[in-house]
Amino acid sequence: MALPQQKLDATGARLAAMSLPEGGAWISEARTSARARVEAMGLPHRRDEYWKYTRPETLVEPGAREASTFETYEPTVFGEIDRLKIVFVDGVYDAEASDELSLAGVEIEPLSEAGAKDIHWARDLYGVLETRGQSPVERPLAALNTAYAADGMVIRVTGKAEKPVSLVYLQESTSSDAIFHHVVKIEAGADLTLLENGPAAARLNKVMEVEIADGGAFHHVRTQGRAHERRAATHIFARLGKESVFKSFTLTVNGALTRNEAVIELTGDDAVAHVAGAALGDGATGDFHHDDTVFITHDAENCESRQVYKKVLRNGAVGVFQGKILVKDGAQKTDGYQISQSLLLDDDSQFLAKPELEIYADDVVCSHGSTSGAIDEEGLFYLRSRGVPKDIATDLMVIAFVAEALEEIEDEAIAADVLSRLESWLQRRRG
Amino acid sequence: MLEIKNLHVELEEEGKQILKGVDLTVESGQVHAIMGPNGSGKSTLSYVLSGRDGYTVTDGEATLAGEDLLEMEPEERAAAGLFLAFQYPVEIPGVGNMTFLRTAVNAQRKLRGEEELSSGDFLRLIRAKAKTLKIDADMLKRPVNVGFSGGEKKRNEILQMAMLEPKMCILDETDSGLDVDAMKLVSEGVNALRSEGRSFLVITHYQRLLDHIKPDVVHIMADGRIIKTGGPDLALEVETQGYAHLLNEEA
């Protein structure tokens, strides 16, 4: 089917402004075919059903809108965690600022180096999971990423990683337009915790492809930068083998526009996938539009998936949730759970939710729920009746509200660090 | 200590009158019990005194140690020395019991212009008080009331009371949902707090709680008013004869 003219024009304009990065044979092939996918699909348009609640224009247009960098004297998140730190500045790997890429149980290489080689194991994953994720719903921004990403990290985990790998995304330029792409391969029985933090750029397009072999485990915790004007479209594509575990949590505070997509396929029996997010937006300190779009496919027996998304919105902030559980024929004993909730602190804020279940197996348990509401008055009164002033009591109720999402972080020290970020965001707004 | 005069209260939304002229004086150091049938206004009285939303005071007054309670925010009432032990303590996930209590204790001290407790002092204090209520370290760490049994929730209320050291404690059907052992434990906790400078208002349906927490004065409440006041014997009378004959007497 021919694409509408507007879409052709917008896609053409963007692609005309870019050129494919240099690389070895395998990656050049992947990039060329990704660009062909973008041309065939066209970049997202506001009339697309999948972009009904989030306007894609600023993510699609040729240049990035200006975004001020964020200055803070507060200690950075994960700073106290023993970790292997890898720094990107405006989307470019900064070897000087990073730790040496050496960690027991893990092989790490910049994408630029892996891509320069004629042959590399990443060939079986780079753009491969993304391509699988293009059906049944198209994700053109992810294909655009595969085509044009010049940087990223290629990580292969062969044992239990000695400590977390921490990707730090700094923004220095107010007009940086970053595209980067990570590939993570967890071998059978291996285990990695991956941390991400920072705004990355004025505009970010990031893809992470994760393959977890049988019995492997991947824990992912990210906090997206506090820069108020930044824009981001991120995708995680994950494929899970037998008895493997995938857990991902994202904290988002601030940001003019964030679209986080997670596309997860459970392909081996007894696999577990949990995705969770807490987003806090205050329209008084800048635009806030946050979109979590999740697609989980159960294609094996006895697997468990959980989606837990909480949004705290005030002063005209907008939250979006599109979440789907697809249970394929034969994926018996599936246990699927999905909850998306918003706490609307005033009448100006908005939460748009589209929960979906599509089930072709007959012996499954799937539950989903979505709510929007104000602060629980009962809880607020309970706290105040003990002498806690109203503003602090309100913040405690906000923490109570997002608790179910925070509980998805397994590591206690990391969870405490994330919680303290959330608390200080609330505190700053208390004055 | 607590003085309530001619208190008239309506439900804000429906405009329905619940309290129709309550008069009650609790002297310092005394324990008063309020008994009465369902719907008589007992719980409403406790909520209005502690400042919950949803009620309109149309007439009358309530003072605590001479201070006008009804003009204050709930947290100010707490700082002034009022404490309500909830019939259904609320679960607050994600907020540790200990964090919550320290926030509350220090917020009250701040409102009263006192120094905040250091975390060391606070820890020593709470450990000692928790021990007597058989509240273990794990319960202190867990989120407020989340996953607590009925008995644990009520013990937690008494722990809060012990930590906050209020002047006037209102116990709203603290016996509901408790087995005999739990009731005994909770009552011991309350009795340990009885002192000259502290008064109690114990709201209950049943006399059995009053076997453990011995009241000085018993009031019977019906249809939004106190219809009879007497000594501990009055509670026994209710136990054996029910409310019906008292209500008839009134009529």
Side-chain angles (χ1 to χ4, degrees), chain A residues 369-387:
Chain A
S370 183
T371 64
S372 283
I375 288 265
D376 171 28
E377 289 294 332
E378 195 78 17
L380 194 63
F381 173 63
Y382 186 66
L383 295 171
R384 294 179 72 193
S385 78
R386 297 304 181 246

Side-chain angles (χ1 to χ4, degrees), chain A residues 292-295 307 321-325 338 354-357:
Chain A
D292 284 301
T293 291
V294 181
F295 198 114
Q307 304 173 34
F321 175 77
Q322 303 189 100
K324 178 153 182 170
I325 308 175
Q338 179 195 86
K354 189 178 166 194
E356 284 181 283
L357 295 179

Side-chain angles (χ1 to χ4, degrees), chain A residues 349-429:
Chain A
S349 302
Q350 216 187 136
F351 179 54
L352 302 152
K354 189 178 166 194
E356 284 181 283
L357 295 179
E358 193 176 331
I359 302 173
Y360 296 99
D362 56 12
D363 184 14
V364 305
V365 180
C366 278
S367 59
H368 68 109
S370 183
T371 64
S372 283
I375 288 265
D376 171 28
E377 289 294 332
E378 195 78 17
L380 194 63
F381 173 63
Y382 186 66
L383 295 171
R384 294 179 72 193
S385 78
R386 297 304 181 246
V388 181
K390 191 177 182 185
D391 52 354
I392 298 175
T394 303
D395 287 354
L396 290 175
M397 291 309 295
V398 169
I399 291 167
F401 171 76
V402 301
E404 189 187 0
L406 281 169
E407 278 162 17
E408 292 294 335
I409 305 173
E410 271 188 19
D411 184 284
E412 276 183 28
I414 295 172
D417 202 353
V418 170
L419 176 62
S420 74
R421 303 295 136 170
L422 203 155
E423 285 171 339
S424 48
W425 188 88
L426 292 168
Q427 216 162 14
R428 282 193 297 276
R429 267 149 193 82

Side-chain angles (χ1 to χ4, degrees), chain A residues 83-87 93-104 106-110 153 162-166:
Chain A
R83 60 186 173 148
L84 181 90
K85 184 169 132 183
I86 302 174
V87 179
Y93 167 55
D94 184 341
E96 292 277 297
S98 304
D99 293 337
E100 196 191 328
L101 300 183
S102 128
L103 183 65
V106 186
E107 296 165 16
I108 312 174
E109 249 178 297
M153 281 292 144
E162 198 187 356
K163 54 187 173 186
V165 170
S166 167

